[in-house]
């Protein structure tokens, strides 16, 4: 856990899809190491027989009426896209040739 | 400025004046704009204000009133929005560079309800980026300053919403509260701020931070005004599947009914070390007052209090790392110009667009959810969350509400905690467990420290028992009205 090895910041930043500078990496690694130490309180807790809480007042099988509703028009939905063409978002090529 | 100016009135008074015909919505809205022009350069509560649109809405309200077609008591009263609540065609930056050019294509449910009630929805209010912080120092557009002392923080994350009301720039605002982000800034700025029960107010159109904890709620100068705003924004919404199907009482009418003295619980874990002496003295006076009007107080115990901060930061960062994945440089955020492939678009756009605290929390959340650590952190935190909920359930079998300070200290100076995440996280120690348990909480101003900074008390209520919580809060507030004191600006 946290006291065994420091967080592998390159691995986790990649999971979070956030590019960090070298300076950010060393600052965050230290700061997050301290936060993880603070989290150790949780490790000492006996919670084996406790059910987890995802929501304070969980609701199950929430259904809406099966009635058609107008959605956002394509032009509106694309208004905030950084690049779009022919009513679609433009992205760099993802399939290799 | 004359004391008779609309900016010094409560929303309830403005509503009466509008109905009595002694003021128009255009008068009120213009006075608000003039006030913003006069003081916001110092306070910096607003990230944006569309003055023309505000005056158009005010004019429309006055026209309705002239025809006898007013829509609600709030028709014509301005309400400001934290810049995470969507208003159609207005900016929504979440105080982040990544949403610098975003404009909302639709209204949040709370905004639709306010527009349906005729309120003048105006102004985008500053916050810690994506609501992550307790001081508003994490805004990409510069911090908001506390109207009571410009060298101090206004609290956060809804620091713009609290400072705007304290500075009398707008009578009512909305904020969002994930771990104290309404109550703590309300306390630090000397105004009323309320987090409703989870599920009471729709989150549709609120930029999500931690979905199982976030709630939208009101800021005002009095408890009476908070009730007025809360009854308009509350209620079930099919667009938010966590919204709870329950009746919305007429809170402001119920405040007028006389209520029986209640039993208040004082959790011994909250009154321990770390609480500022002046805060304690101020809360002692509040306790004395409640006793003097027949209330009983009782020491209670919430033994899991010291778990609430680690549990919160595991759950909130895990949910944030998932929620903020949508800011990916693809659909509606700025895109890095250095991006050459798809992964680049994500990583570089987010690396350039997010500030330090947002990066830290997304990384921490990704870590807590990652393979090998999920059981140790996230699952454990969810189980500990159950223990925290059960603590409150036990206490609420014996008391009607819990009384605590809202914040361990009055407002702190800029830079004092910004380099030390844990010390910043600890400023939410009294508010965080309320969100984990889903309960309603309200901060009510209860005086000034010797250096002239506001102190606030927090009342925590039973789930969906806003009506009683507001009555208990009002029993103090209507006799003290600390929120009506105006800072010198």
């Amino acid at each position: 856990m946290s006291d065994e090895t420091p967080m592998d910041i390159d691995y986790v930043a990649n999971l979070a899809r956030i590019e960090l500078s070298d300076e950010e990496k060393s600052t965050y690694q230290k700061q997050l190491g301290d936060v993880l130490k603070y989290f150790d309180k949780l490790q000492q807790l006996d919670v084996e027989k406790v059910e987890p809480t995802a929501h304070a007042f969980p609701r199950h099988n929430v259904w809406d009426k099966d009635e058609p509703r107008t959605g956002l028009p394509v032009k509106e939905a694309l208004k905030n896209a950084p690049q779009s063409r022919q009513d679609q978002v433009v992205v760099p090529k993802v399939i290799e040739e | 400025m004359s004391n008779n100016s609309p900016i010094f009135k409560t929303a309830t008074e403005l509503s009466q004046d509008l109905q009595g015909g002694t003021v128009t919505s255009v008068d009120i809205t213009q006075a608000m704009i003039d006030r913003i022009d006069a003081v916001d350069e110092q306070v910096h509560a607003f990230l944006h204000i569309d003055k023309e649109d505000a005056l158009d809405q005010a004019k429309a309200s006055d026209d309705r009133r002239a025809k006898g077609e007013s829509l609600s008591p709030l028709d014509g009263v301005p309400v400001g929005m934290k810049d995470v609540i969507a208003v159609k065609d207005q900016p929504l930056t979440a105080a982040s560079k990544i949403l610098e050019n975003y404009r909302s294509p639709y209204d949040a449910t709370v905004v639709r309800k306010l527009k349906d009630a005729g309120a003048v929805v105006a102004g985008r209010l500053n916050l810690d980026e994506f609501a992550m912080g307790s001081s508003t120092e994490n805004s990409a557009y510069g911090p908001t300053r506390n109207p009571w002392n410009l060298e101090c923080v206004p609290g956060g994350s809804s620091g713009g919403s609290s400072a705007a009301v304290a500075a009398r720039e707008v009578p009512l605002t909305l904020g969002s509260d994930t771990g104290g982000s309404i109550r703590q800034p309300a306390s630090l700025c000397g105004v009323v701020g309320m987090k409703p029960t989870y599920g009471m107010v729709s989150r549709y159109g609120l930029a999500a931070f931690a979905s199982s904890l976030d709630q939208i709620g009101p800021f005002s100068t009095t408890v009476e005004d908070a009730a007025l705003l809360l009854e308009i924004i509350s209620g079930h919404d099919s667009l938010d599947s966590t919204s709870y199907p329950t009746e919305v009482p007429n809170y402001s009418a119920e405040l007028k009914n006389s209520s029986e003295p209640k039993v208040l619980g004082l959790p011994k874990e909250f009154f321990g070390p770390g609480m500022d002496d002046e805060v304690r003295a101020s809360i002692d006076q509040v306790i004395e007052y409640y006793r003097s009007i027949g209330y009983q107080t009782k020491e209670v115990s919430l033994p899991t209090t010291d778990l609430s901060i680690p549990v919160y930061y595991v759950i909130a960062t895990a949910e944030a790392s998932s929620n903020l994945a949508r800011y990916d440089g693809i659909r509606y955020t700025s895109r890095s110009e250095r991006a050459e492939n798809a992964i680049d678009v994500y990583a570089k756009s987010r690396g350039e667009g997010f500030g330090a605290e947002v990066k830290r929390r997304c990384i921490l959340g990704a870590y807590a959810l990652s393979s090998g650590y999920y059981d140790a952190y996230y699952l454990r935190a969810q189980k500990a969350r159950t223990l925290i909920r059960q603590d409150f359930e036990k206490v609420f079998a014996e008391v009607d509400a819990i009384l605590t300070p809202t914040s361990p200290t009055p407002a702190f100076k800029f830079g004092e905690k910004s380099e030390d995440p844990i010390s910043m996280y600890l400023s939410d120690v009294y508010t965080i467990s309320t969100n984990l348990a889903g309960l309603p909480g309200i901060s009510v101003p209860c005086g000034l420290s010797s250096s002239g900074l506001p102190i606030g008390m927090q009342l925590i209520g039973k789930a969906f028992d806003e009506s009683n919580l507001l009555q208990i809060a009002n029993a103090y507030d209507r006799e003290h009205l600390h929120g009506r004191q105006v800072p010198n600006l």
Side-chain angles (χ1 to χ4, degrees), chain B residues 280-341:
Chain B
R280 172 179 285 270
S282 188
I283 298 300
D284 284 344
Q285 284 181 3
V286 172
I287 294 169
E288 276 311 307
Y289 175 77
Y290 274 116
R291 285 182 183 146
S292 77
I293 58 168
Y295 276 57
Q296 286 178 53
T297 56
K298 189 171 186 174
E299 184 181 275
V300 293
S301 177
L302 294 165
T304 53
T305 296
D306 66 334
L307 290 176
S308 61
I309 289 191
V311 169
Y312 172 84
Y313 279 94
V314 171
I315 290 175
T317 58
E319 292 186 13
S321 79
S322 305
N323 271 326
L324 271 64
R326 73 191 64 178
Y327 306 109
D328 56 7
I330 304 281
R331 290 160 296 166
Y332 42 70
T333 58
S334 54
R335 183 181 293 179
S336 170
E337 285 172 9
R338 298 180 296 125
E340 287 175 8
N341 58 50

Side-chain angles (χ1 to χ4, degrees), chain B residues 17 48 164 396:
Chain B
D17 290 353
H48 179 80
F396 277 122

Side-chain angles (χ1 to χ4, degrees), chain B residues 417-469:
Chain B
K417 298 176 195 248
S418 52
E419 292 306 310
D420 179 1
I422 292 174
S423 111
M424 188 71 90
Y425 296 173
L426 286 170
S427 64
D428 293 331
V429 65
Y430 300 144
T431 50
I432 260 175
S433 49
T434 318
N435 298 72
L436 291 166
L439 302 171
I442 186 167
S443 180
V444 179
C446 58
L448 296 176
S449 72
S450 53
S451 52
L453 290 167
I455 295 170
M457 64 140 155
Q458 172 179 237
L459 289 159
I460 304 169
K462 296 177 187 174
F464 303 106
D465 194 26
E466 275 78 359
S467 208
N468 265 311
L469 184 63

Side-chain angles (χ1 to χ4, degrees), chain B residues 219-234:
Chain B
F219 286 92
S220 56
T221 51
T222 63
V223 170
E224 191 180 29
D225 276 8
L228 191 62
L229 183 50
L230 185 66
E231 70 199 17
I232 287 176
I233 61 168
S234 297

Side-chain angles (χ1 to χ4, degrees), chain A residues 1-9 11-21 24 27-29 31-60 62-65 69 72-73 76-84 89-94, chain B residues 88-89 101-103 105 197-198 211-212 236 238-239 241-245 306-307 309-311 313-314 319 329-333 335 338 340-343 345-348 350-351 354 356 359-360 362-364 366-367 370 373 376-377 379-387 389 419 421-422 425-426 436-438 463-464:
Chain A
M1 230 115 294
S2 55
D3 48 349
E4 291 162 18
T5 43
M7 179 190 281
D8 181 345
I9 193 85
Y11 172 71
V12 192
N14 182 50
L15 286 181
R17 294 281 190 254
I18 297 177
E19 184 187 72
L20 299 179
S21 67
E24 285 177 312
T27 312
Y28 298 164
Q29 186 161 40
Q31 287 172 331
L32 293 176
D34 292 346
V35 173
L36 288 179
K37 263 185 232 143
Y38 190 75
F39 286 176
D40 273 349
K41 268 185 202 161
L42 288 180
Q43 311 308 332
Q44 294 144 21
L45 199 65
D46 180 13
V47 286
E48 207 181 317
K49 297 203 175 79
V50 182
E51 287 293 313
T53 294
H55 274 91
F57 312 108
R59 300 191 56 214
H60 303 288
V62 178
W63 301 102
D64 209 352
K65 284 190 194 113
R69 249 195 320 244
L72 213 52
E76 282 288 308
L78 285 175
K79 230 163 53 180
N80 288 297
Q83 283 180 44
S84 62
V89 173
V90 178
V91 294
K93 191 149 70 175
V94 287
Chain B
K88 192 173 183 335
D89 298 327
N101 300 312
Y102 183 85
R103 290 211 167 232
T197 308
Y198 184 81
S211 304
S212 80
H236 179 252
S238 62
L239 297 173
S241 61
T242 62
S243 154
Y244 210 80
D306 66 334
L307 290 176
I309 289 191
V311 169
Y313 279 94
V314 171
E319 292 186 13
I330 304 281
R331 290 160 296 166
Y332 42 70
T333 58
R335 183 181 293 179
R338 298 180 296 125
E340 287 175 8
N341 58 50
I343 301 295
V345 171
Y346 306 143
K348 293 198 162 86
R350 290 156 66 80
F354 287 157
K359 287 180 188 173
R360 273 196 294 265
C362 285
I363 288 169
L364 189 59
Y367 179 78
S370 66
Y373 294 99
Y377 288 105
L379 188 61
R380 234 164 210 284
Q382 285 195 314
K383 288 181 170 185
R385 186 176 177 182
T386 303
L387 301 177
R389 271 179 58 197
E419 292 306 310
I422 292 174
Y425 296 173
L426 286 170
L436 291 166
F464 303 106

